[in-house]
Amino acid sequence: MDQDQPARPPAHWPGRTAQVGHASHPGRTGRVGHASHPGRTGRVGHPYQVGRTGRKRHGRKQSSLSYRRLRSLALLAVLVGGIVALSLESGGPSTSSGKTPVQSRPASRGATGSATTSGIAAAEAGQLPWSLPNPISRLTLLPGSSQNQLVIMGGITASGASAAGVYTLDTINGHLTQSASLVGPSHDASGVAMDGRYILFGGGTSAGSLAVVQSLLVSSHHSGSPAGRAPSLVATVIGQLPQLRSDSSAVLVGSTAYVVGGYNGTSADRSVLAAKPSATGSTITFHTVATLPIGVRYAAVAALGSRIYVFGGLGVSGADAGKPLSAIQQVDPTTGKASVVGTLPEPLYGAAAGNLGGVIYVAGGMTTSAGRLAGALHPIATVWAYDASNGRLLQAGQLRVPVAHAGVTVLAGRMWLIGGKSTGGIPIGAAQMVEPNRTFGTAGTPGAGSPYFGNKLLVADEGNDRLVLLSDTSKIIWTYPSATAPSPPGGFSADDAFFARHGHMIVTNEETKDVLAEVGFPSGKILWTYGHFGVPGSKPGYLNTPDDAYLLPDGNVITADIANCRVIVINPKTDHIVTQIGTTGRCIHDMDKPVALGSPNGDTPLPNGNILVSEINGSYVDEFTPQGKALWSVHLPISYPSDPQQIGPNRYLIAGYTKPGSLLEFNRQGQVLFRYQPTSGPGMLDHPSLVEMLPNGILMLNDDYNDRMIAIDPVTGALVWQYGVTHTPGSAPGMLSEPDGFDILAPGGLTPTHTGTG
């Protein structure tokens, strides 16, 4: 039955596009000599490639042009998967393609939610980079026939109509295929997968609640129907519920299915029904095993052991009618006892619940509490973990999109939330997932749900001319410049920033101002500078668009001097250049002596003392000894490589600074082991300049022109954390403007993503 009036749908949200893995681009290995890629004259007569200027924001005119923004950008070629028609009663194609995960990341981390002496694992909650081609809510979602397949049944479309389609959804790439039809359009049904069948209980239409019970063979969902052709397979009616019932939940306990909660069109149905299909699956019978103390609809329901837990729900009668409730009810089908065993942190209905590794996680839902929207019904993004030992819910993380009335099921250790209604009652096609992950913290502790739990994140917020340090709760805890530490004469605009000296110093490069600086932390005192502010040059004491400045273990500072086409090492005590790789002004890729670099923009120090260099001209990555000897060089299939990082033996990570942007893992042989490059939707990147792998395997990156920092799980492709509002620059809490660099500071002053620095 309808509780929320259908709202006007949002604009079409396209699905994810190609994410290509294991491409066998041969590249060039070994020493590559005399490459003939000519430089082009850029500013002050230095040869490098030029293109569009940096964008202007809030009327702030850049005093000089950032080199990264002075490049004509050739879009990367992407492989586009087949187009699959998805109507969900309204039509519209979905375009997406597959991806291959980073090989070092296991498909399952083995991090369960089990409550132990170390507490309950926090939740890694993410939004997939693809979405359904059309919004839908109040659908039934069930696990498919493989660990990467979900089944969608019925629901309400964006137009407010009930749907009759049954679809299989590939969680790897978002491909959607209609595989069957229900006996008629419906929504708000509950269902289970059992004994090789999908069983759907009741539901509703615009005319009222239903009692019909439908069945489909699981094996019928393997192939689906060709795009544009309606499937011939239709669900079979195998029985009727004892009375009309919609807005219910169904759950398996052992081999028995139970129907819990719901609404018959006029009142709540408090009976908890046990369902028993016949041996052939052609008929089904029911008997009542318990009665809920509080009648609810749209509750979040999950089983734990032999008991069923009912979280919140929408009140149906008396003073609670039409209001979200906060009661936690427990049902023991073996004894027939049902009771209230706890209280939610806030009243909820339309939330999702699932048992993940022995702990129930509850996510989203509609509430009238929570902050500035208190008093008005609105969806939330909170993820809780239920501690059955004391009946309390502990905050475990945050969904990327607030949602209620999503389809929910557990598949391969993850709770999936598909579609639903978001802020303003707008139906969405978002695909979200929740899984326990101890590296994201412990439920109930500050920072739970953060990919850098227990650490701090430094962001070079270039568009706002500042450095900001974020806690693992995403709160700004330090800024530079500040009232007590003003910027030096001429201003401050850090392009990159990396901690040094066990967290007591930050090394910055101001790419658009041609200077380097060492900034004391947390004092903000300028300890050292090199270069002439706003005056590019190549003579001693001058730089031209410096990038990626690091402190080396011997106390010297290394930087990629882009427009001078060299990587230099500077002794801060004497300001002398002690090492130079590349020939000043010779901006081509040439590994023969004298070495020439095609506009290097990355110079990552490696733990073995070597240096990993990226060259814009020609799209090369090279490794050099500290003395400047080339060890290997490889050409990559991206037009603008940025800031390579080593993440394992013969495994490297790099950002593609384009729109749409890309992330690549590759080896010295030029093989692309992983590629992330959505061309639309929430996962599309806009000029990412630095990506690093955190110790837990999550990819952290600054998505420059999208004005955000994000974290991506390479196993699922999900966006599991974000700071900043996508493509909306700002300086208020929660906002950034063209963030162009970052660093992780761990306890004890450790910098786990660049262990080869000082």
Side-chain angles (χ1 to χ4, degrees), residues 18 224 349 396 740:
Y349 75 93
D740 201 62

Side-chain angles (χ1 to χ4, degrees), residues 147-224:
Q147 65 176 1
N148 297 317
Q149 188 182 81
L150 298 171
V151 176
I152 294 174
M153 296 183 174
I156 292 183
T157 68
S159 67
S162 296
V166 178
Y167 299 85
T168 56
L169 174 64
D170 189 325
T171 62
I172 293 177
N173 53 39
H175 280 305
L176 198 67
T177 307
Q178 186 168 1
S179 53
S181 293
L182 302 176
V183 295
S186 66
H187 58 271
D188 288 338
S190 59
V192 295
M194 62 181 299
D195 300 331
R197 294 178 178 272
Y198 299 117
I199 302 178
L200 202 67
F201 302 103
T205 68
S206 58
S209 299
L210 303 172
V212 65
V213 180
Q214 304 175 63
S215 175
L216 277 167
L217 286 172
V218 170
S219 59
S220 68
H221 296 267
H222 284 226
S223 57

Side-chain angles (χ1 to χ4, degrees), residues 11 47 50 52 62 66 99 114 155 177 221-222 255 258 290 295 297 309 380 385 396 475 536 582 609 665 670 686 734:
V50 298
R52 71 182 181 91
Q62 295 185 4
S66 168
K99 69 177 178 65
S114 302
T177 307
H221 296 267
H222 284 226
S255 59
Y258 296 91
R297 51 197 293 214
Y309 290 85
I380 60 173
K475 302 296 183 184
E665 183 192 347
D686 192 350

Side-chain angles (χ1 to χ4, degrees), residues 4 137-138 349-351 364-366 378-380 402-406 419-422:
D4 304 318
S137 64
R138 292 153 70 177
Y349 75 93
M366 298 288 286
H378 60 278
I380 60 173
V403 72
H405 298 302
K421 287 190 175 183
S422 193

Side-chain angles (χ1 to χ4, degrees), residues 141-144 150 353-357 408-416 434:
L141 188 70
L142 295 173
L150 298 171
N355 183 330
L356 300 174
V408 58
T409 194
V410 173
L411 176 68
R414 300 182 179 100
M415 181 167 67
W416 291 88
V434 174

Side-chain angles (χ1 to χ4, degrees), residues 8-13 135:
R8 181 176 60 85
H12 176 68
W13 191 357

Side-chain angles (χ1 to χ4, degrees), residues 717-731:
L719 282 72
V720 298
W721 177 87
Q722 177 167 328
Y723 187 91
V725 180
T726 304
H727 206 66
T728 304
S731 59

